[in-house]
Amino acid sequence: MADLTPTPDRPGLHVTKPDPSTPATATAVCHCGATATATGDNQVRALVEGYTNHHGPAHHRMSR
């Protein structure tokens, strides 16, 4: 399986939750240089919302 962890060369968002009893984890890297990590379902949810609203796809909407 390929490594899906985002890097500055391959920005993006990667979330894992192997099973219901394991806390979620997430890593985000934006092409603007911002990075974030989170552990725990609530923290991961907040990271995903923040990344979606302010980085990644949001940068593409603002530049059009």
Side-chain angles (χ1 to χ4, degrees):
M1 176 181 273
D3 182 6
L4 300 176
T5 304
T7 66
D9 294 331
R10 290 185 342 241
L13 177 65
H14 184 244
V15 176
T16 61
K17 184 163 175 78
D19 61 66
S21 63
T22 303
T25 61
T27 303
V29 177
C30 184
H31 61 84
C32 74
T35 63
T37 59
T39 301
D41 296 358
N42 291 333
Q43 291 83 4
V44 168
R45 188 175 297 112
L47 185 149
V48 170
E49 289 174 8
Y51 181 83
T52 302
N53 290 331
H54 303 292
H55 297 283
H59 285 300
H60 297 294
R61 285 194 303 267
M62 292 185 325
S63 64
R64 289 184 185 168

